[in-house]
Amino acid sequence: MNQNSRDGFSSRFGVFAAVIGSAVGLGNIWRFPYMAGENGGAAFLIIYFAFILIIGIPAMLSEFIIGRRGQSDSYGSFKQLVPKKPWYLVGLMGILAAFVILTFYSTITGWTLEYVVLAVKDVFSSTAAIQDPKQVFEHFHTQAARPLIWQLTTITIAALVVLFGVRKGIEGSAKILMPMLCVFLVILAVKSLTLPGSVEGMKFLFKPDFSKLNSSVLLAALGQAVFSLSVATGVLITYGSYIKKEVNMSRTAFSVSIADTFLAVLAGIAIFPAVYSFGMQPDQGPGLVFVVLPGIFQQMTGGVYFALLFFILVAVAGITSIISLLEAVVAPLVERFKLKRIVATSIAAGLACALGAFTTLSFGPLKHVKLFNKSLFDVSDFFASNILLPLGAFFLLVFLGWFYDIKQTKDELSNQGRLKLQLFPVFVFIIRFIAPTGILLVFLKGLGVFSFFG
Ligand code: TRP
């Protein structure tokens, strides 16, 4: 994408496609539904919307501003804007976050590849002997080697792409991939809504029961909001450095966030009516979509073909995210530590595989290993999504709000005064007060939950 905007692809759309390509992924299709399912449905959804608006969008915009002003990656941009201050540490924290996400994101992307194969084997067909999707899912995890091989496969593909730099074609594919994903989700949602008893699922997703709200729901919603918008890994700072000076970044941040949220809700509408129609529970954790979607495919004419295409799409969306996460780790190793690209890529990919193996096995043989009363998967996901990312967003906002010249921020955001920024005072108020306090409160409450569990 870097090249895209330089090549002068219609630049506004080029940026939009690149950022949406990073934002939309398993976070929307897999993580959002199970988080909403575990955290009370509609009440979670409302809080999630609020956090997207007051924290996610401002944080995304902050990254764009820092990147376009600093004309470098996250580390370099901070060095450029405030040379003598340790703000570049925020950049380093983002790299760590990207790495941790890589370890568990590759687990789930691996699952989607298994499901492509299952679809080819006709497991979800309406005519073949119908298999219980839950059993299929559990059986898969008892065969420790298979999930591991799939994880290795996803990371290897990503590593090859990062090494040989065929990124352009892949990122260009976001322009085809995202609309297709959207169409598929609409069809799934319609099918799900026409299943008997689906109304209960819609109630779960849209009729809030605020008695279900508590500090862990708030922290989960915050984590999901920052995770889904790809905030705080530094990736958006790098993208920001490629945004042309005439692009209206506020508009980009808004439209990307709305599209991302729309796709997540669409995934929710595909999932929850079916959950209730099949008499399942919404709070079954990370396996949710892998158990529910096959059930829908089994009810569709031509469901196998549909399943096949759908899982291919999701797998590609997952792999493109892995490429971008891996790149976020590899690029600084190459640029700052002067490692050879092949060495840096091997180290990052190798470590991600090694650590990620524990995450993957935590659904099978290592199921009973617990840390802080959580599975190894939940621990790494919690650490990245609910600790590193919110903290990263906090520092980004506080940096721009309090430690960087607000006139410079205004200059950058308004394209050197060419755009009228009526909402600028609102933005400043949010990044100075509302968003940082919000994050801190939710975060500290959430840590209370942490010690409560521990
Ligand atoms: N937003 C991505 C998703 O929803 C996950 C993600 C978080 C990501 N940070 C990222 C992807 C950085 C690429 C780069 O699936």
Side-chain angles (χ1 to χ4, degrees), residues 22-28 101 105 227-230 233 235 321 324-325:
S22 153
V24 174
L26 299 181
N28 307 67
I101 295 175
Y105 209 91
F227 182 92
S228 194
L229 293 187
S230 300
T233 54
V235 170
S321 288
S324 141
L325 289 161

PDB file of all heavy atoms in Angstrom, residues 22-28 101 105 227-230 233 235 321 324-325, ligand 1:
ATOM      1  N   SER A  22      -6.354  -3.369   6.875  1.00  0.00           N
ATOM      2  CA  SER A  22      -5.742  -3.721   8.144  1.00  0.00           C
ATOM      3  C   SER A  22      -6.794  -3.873   9.247  1.00  0.00           C
ATOM      4  O   SER A  22      -6.715  -4.759  10.088  1.00  0.00           O
ATOM      5  CB  SER A  22      -4.721  -2.641   8.531  1.00  0.00           C
ATOM      6  OG  SER A  22      -4.564  -2.586   9.912  1.00  0.00           O
ATOM      7  N   ALA A  23      -7.808  -3.030   9.200  1.00  0.00           N
ATOM      8  CA  ALA A  23      -8.811  -3.057  10.268  1.00  0.00           C
ATOM      9  C   ALA A  23      -9.709  -4.290  10.174  1.00  0.00           C
ATOM     10  O   ALA A  23      -9.977  -4.957  11.173  1.00  0.00           O
ATOM     11  CB  ALA A  23      -9.650  -1.783  10.230  1.00  0.00           C
ATOM     12  N   VAL A  24     -10.179  -4.583   8.967  1.00  0.00           N
ATOM     13  CA  VAL A  24     -11.119  -5.698   8.836  1.00  0.00           C
ATOM     14  C   VAL A  24     -10.364  -7.012   8.792  1.00  0.00           C
ATOM     15  O   VAL A  24      -9.435  -7.177   8.012  1.00  0.00           O
ATOM     16  CB  VAL A  24     -11.968  -5.545   7.562  1.00  0.00           C
ATOM     17  CG1 VAL A  24     -12.842  -6.775   7.363  1.00  0.00           C
ATOM     18  CG2 VAL A  24     -12.817  -4.294   7.658  1.00  0.00           C
ATOM     19  N   GLY A  25     -10.752  -7.905   9.648  1.00  0.00           N
ATOM     20  CA  GLY A  25     -10.085  -9.200   9.669  1.00  0.00           C
ATOM     21  C   GLY A  25     -10.839 -10.127  10.599  1.00  0.00           C
ATOM     22  O   GLY A  25     -12.057  -9.988  10.788  1.00  0.00           O
ATOM     23  N   LEU A  26     -10.096 -11.040  11.191  1.00  0.00           N
ATOM     24  CA  LEU A  26     -10.729 -11.969  12.118  1.00  0.00           C
ATOM     25  C   LEU A  26     -11.340 -11.224  13.293  1.00  0.00           C
ATOM     26  O   LEU A  26     -12.236 -11.723  13.955  1.00  0.00           O
ATOM     27  CB  LEU A  26      -9.702 -12.962  12.634  1.00  0.00           C
ATOM     28  CG  LEU A  26      -9.042 -13.833  11.571  1.00  0.00           C
ATOM     29  CD1 LEU A  26      -8.058 -14.787  12.218  1.00  0.00           C
ATOM     30  CD2 LEU A  26     -10.087 -14.601  10.810  1.00  0.00           C
ATOM     31  N   GLY A  27     -10.819 -10.036  13.553  1.00  0.00           N
ATOM     32  CA  GLY A  27     -11.361  -9.229  14.641  1.00  0.00           C
ATOM     33  C   GLY A  27     -12.856  -8.988  14.468  1.00  0.00           C
ATOM     34  O   GLY A  27     -13.602  -8.977  15.445  1.00  0.00           O
ATOM     35  N   ASN A  28     -13.278  -8.805  13.234  1.00  0.00           N
ATOM     36  CA  ASN A  28     -14.696  -8.552  12.975  1.00  0.00           C
ATOM     37  C   ASN A  28     -15.508  -9.837  12.945  1.00  0.00           C
ATOM     38  O   ASN A  28     -16.584  -9.922  13.530  1.00  0.00           O
ATOM     39  CB  ASN A  28     -14.878  -7.860  11.621  1.00  0.00           C
ATOM     40  CG  ASN A  28     -14.027  -6.636  11.502  1.00  0.00           C
ATOM     41  OD1 ASN A  28     -12.794  -6.717  11.462  1.00  0.00           O
ATOM     42  ND2 ASN A  28     -14.651  -5.478  11.477  1.00  0.00           N
ATOM     43  N   ILE A 101      -0.063 -10.370  19.286  1.00  0.00           N
ATOM     44  CA  ILE A 101      -1.253 -10.627  18.460  1.00  0.00           C
ATOM     45  C   ILE A 101      -0.938 -11.698  17.412  1.00  0.00           C
ATOM     46  O   ILE A 101      -1.722 -12.612  17.172  1.00  0.00           O
ATOM     47  CB  ILE A 101      -1.758  -9.335  17.785  1.00  0.00           C
ATOM     48  CG1 ILE A 101      -2.241  -8.333  18.839  1.00  0.00           C
ATOM     49  CG2 ILE A 101      -2.905  -9.639  16.818  1.00  0.00           C
ATOM     50  CD1 ILE A 101      -2.647  -6.982  18.273  1.00  0.00           C
ATOM     51  N   TYR A 105      -3.274 -14.780  16.634  1.00  0.00           N
ATOM     52  CA  TYR A 105      -4.014 -14.546  15.393  1.00  0.00           C
ATOM     53  C   TYR A 105      -3.714 -15.675  14.402  1.00  0.00           C
ATOM     54  O   TYR A 105      -4.579 -16.102  13.639  1.00  0.00           O
ATOM     55  CB  TYR A 105      -3.564 -13.209  14.812  1.00  0.00           C
ATOM     56  CG  TYR A 105      -4.585 -12.466  13.989  1.00  0.00           C
ATOM     57  CD1 TYR A 105      -5.443 -11.548  14.582  1.00  0.00           C
ATOM     58  CD2 TYR A 105      -4.666 -12.663  12.618  1.00  0.00           C
ATOM     59  CE1 TYR A 105      -6.355 -10.848  13.825  1.00  0.00           C
ATOM     60  CE2 TYR A 105      -5.573 -11.961  11.854  1.00  0.00           C
ATOM     61  CZ  TYR A 105      -6.420 -11.047  12.459  1.00  0.00           C
ATOM     62  OH  TYR A 105      -7.324 -10.354  11.714  1.00  0.00           O
ATOM     63  N   PHE A 227      -8.586  -3.222  19.272  1.00  0.00           N
ATOM     64  CA  PHE A 227      -8.102  -4.337  18.462  1.00  0.00           C
ATOM     65  C   PHE A 227      -8.672  -4.245  17.045  1.00  0.00           C
ATOM     66  O   PHE A 227      -7.953  -4.357  16.054  1.00  0.00           O
ATOM     67  CB  PHE A 227      -8.540  -5.659  19.105  1.00  0.00           C
ATOM     68  CG  PHE A 227      -8.062  -6.897  18.389  1.00  0.00           C
ATOM     69  CD1 PHE A 227      -6.865  -7.500  18.746  1.00  0.00           C
ATOM     70  CD2 PHE A 227      -8.811  -7.466  17.364  1.00  0.00           C
ATOM     71  CE1 PHE A 227      -6.425  -8.648  18.089  1.00  0.00           C
ATOM     72  CE2 PHE A 227      -8.374  -8.614  16.701  1.00  0.00           C
ATOM     73  CZ  PHE A 227      -7.179  -9.198  17.073  1.00  0.00           C
ATOM     74  N   SER A 228      -9.973  -4.032  16.972  1.00  0.00           N
ATOM     75  CA  SER A 228     -10.633  -4.074  15.668  1.00  0.00           C
ATOM     76  C   SER A 228     -10.181  -2.950  14.744  1.00  0.00           C
ATOM     77  O   SER A 228     -10.129  -3.119  13.530  1.00  0.00           O
ATOM     78  CB  SER A 228     -12.149  -4.044  15.850  1.00  0.00           C
ATOM     79  OG  SER A 228     -12.777  -4.397  14.648  1.00  0.00           O
ATOM     80  N   LEU A 229      -9.859  -1.795  15.323  1.00  0.00           N
ATOM     81  CA  LEU A 229      -9.418  -0.680  14.473  1.00  0.00           C
ATOM     82  C   LEU A 229      -7.907  -0.713  14.222  1.00  0.00           C
ATOM     83  O   LEU A 229      -7.359   0.201  13.626  1.00  0.00           O
ATOM     84  CB  LEU A 229      -9.816   0.657  15.093  1.00  0.00           C
ATOM     85  CG  LEU A 229     -11.324   0.947  15.161  1.00  0.00           C
ATOM     86  CD1 LEU A 229     -11.566   2.368  15.643  1.00  0.00           C
ATOM     87  CD2 LEU A 229     -12.007   0.726  13.821  1.00  0.00           C
ATOM     88  N   SER A 230      -7.236  -1.771  14.678  1.00  0.00           N
ATOM     89  CA  SER A 230      -5.775  -1.907  14.498  1.00  0.00           C
ATOM     90  C   SER A 230      -5.002  -0.763  15.135  1.00  0.00           C
ATOM     91  O   SER A 230      -3.919  -0.408  14.686  1.00  0.00           O
ATOM     92  CB  SER A 230      -5.383  -1.970  13.017  1.00  0.00           C
ATOM     93  OG  SER A 230      -5.964  -3.048  12.380  1.00  0.00           O
ATOM     94  N   THR A 233      -0.638  -0.586  17.425  1.00  0.00           N
ATOM     95  CA  THR A 233       0.478  -1.469  17.105  1.00  0.00           C
ATOM     96  C   THR A 233       1.524  -0.703  16.298  1.00  0.00           C
ATOM     97  O   THR A 233       2.553  -1.260  15.939  1.00  0.00           O
ATOM     98  CB  THR A 233       0.039  -2.695  16.286  1.00  0.00           C
ATOM     99  OG1 THR A 233      -0.660  -2.247  15.132  1.00  0.00           O
ATOM    100  CG2 THR A 233      -0.837  -3.613  17.088  1.00  0.00           C
ATOM    101  N   VAL A 235       1.163   0.230  13.310  1.00  0.00           N
ATOM    102  CA  VAL A 235       0.899   0.042  11.883  1.00  0.00           C
ATOM    103  C   VAL A 235       0.249   1.292  11.274  1.00  0.00           C
ATOM    104  O   VAL A 235       0.606   1.732  10.179  1.00  0.00           O
ATOM    105  CB  VAL A 235       0.000  -1.205  11.676  1.00  0.00           C
ATOM    106  CG1 VAL A 235      -0.510  -1.297  10.252  1.00  0.00           C
ATOM    107  CG2 VAL A 235       0.769  -2.465  12.041  1.00  0.00           C
ATOM    108  N   SER A 321      -3.683  -9.875   7.423  1.00  0.00           N
ATOM    109  CA  SER A 321      -3.419  -9.223   8.713  1.00  0.00           C
ATOM    110  C   SER A 321      -2.105  -9.731   9.302  1.00  0.00           C
ATOM    111  O   SER A 321      -1.328  -8.956   9.861  1.00  0.00           O
ATOM    112  CB  SER A 321      -4.552  -9.487   9.701  1.00  0.00           C
ATOM    113  OG  SER A 321      -5.687  -8.752   9.336  1.00  0.00           O
ATOM    114  N   SER A 324       0.779  -8.035   7.753  1.00  0.00           N
ATOM    115  CA  SER A 324       0.995  -6.678   8.223  1.00  0.00           C
ATOM    116  C   SER A 324       1.529  -6.644   9.657  1.00  0.00           C
ATOM    117  O   SER A 324       2.377  -5.819  10.008  1.00  0.00           O
ATOM    118  CB  SER A 324      -0.299  -5.901   7.989  1.00  0.00           C
ATOM    119  OG  SER A 324      -0.620  -5.042   8.966  1.00  0.00           O
ATOM    120  N   LEU A 325       1.082  -7.591  10.498  1.00  0.00           N
ATOM    121  CA  LEU A 325       1.604  -7.674  11.860  1.00  0.00           C
ATOM    122  C   LEU A 325       3.073  -8.098  11.858  1.00  0.00           C
ATOM    123  O   LEU A 325       3.898  -7.564  12.604  1.00  0.00           O
ATOM    124  CB  LEU A 325       0.786  -8.672  12.687  1.00  0.00           C
ATOM    125  CG  LEU A 325      -0.635  -8.235  13.050  1.00  0.00           C
ATOM    126  CD1 LEU A 325      -1.490  -9.430  13.441  1.00  0.00           C
ATOM    127  CD2 LEU A 325      -0.599  -7.229  14.198  1.00  0.00           C
TER     128      LEU A 325
HETATM  129  N1  TRP B   1      -7.768  -5.132  13.285  1.00  0.00           N
HETATM  130  C1  TRP B   1      -7.414  -6.473  12.955  1.00  0.00           C
HETATM  131  C2  TRP B   1      -8.662  -7.322  12.956  1.00  0.00           C
HETATM  132  O1  TRP B   1      -9.694  -6.876  13.358  1.00  0.00           O
HETATM  133  C3  TRP B   1      -6.403  -7.029  13.912  1.00  0.00           C
HETATM  134  C4  TRP B   1      -5.226  -6.150  14.086  1.00  0.00           C
HETATM  135  C5  TRP B   1      -4.891  -5.462  15.197  1.00  0.00           C
HETATM  136  C6  TRP B   1      -4.255  -5.828  13.112  1.00  0.00           C
HETATM  137  N2  TRP B   1      -3.778  -4.729  14.977  1.00  0.00           N
HETATM  138  C7  TRP B   1      -3.365  -4.933  13.718  1.00  0.00           C
HETATM  139  C8  TRP B   1      -4.110  -6.211  11.793  1.00  0.00           C
HETATM  140  C9  TRP B   1      -2.313  -4.420  12.996  1.00  0.00           C
HETATM  141  C10 TRP B   1      -3.043  -5.686  11.088  1.00  0.00           C
HETATM  142  C11 TRP B   1      -2.161  -4.797  11.670  1.00  0.00           C
HETATM  143  O2  TRP B   1      -8.633  -8.453  12.603  1.00  0.00           O
END
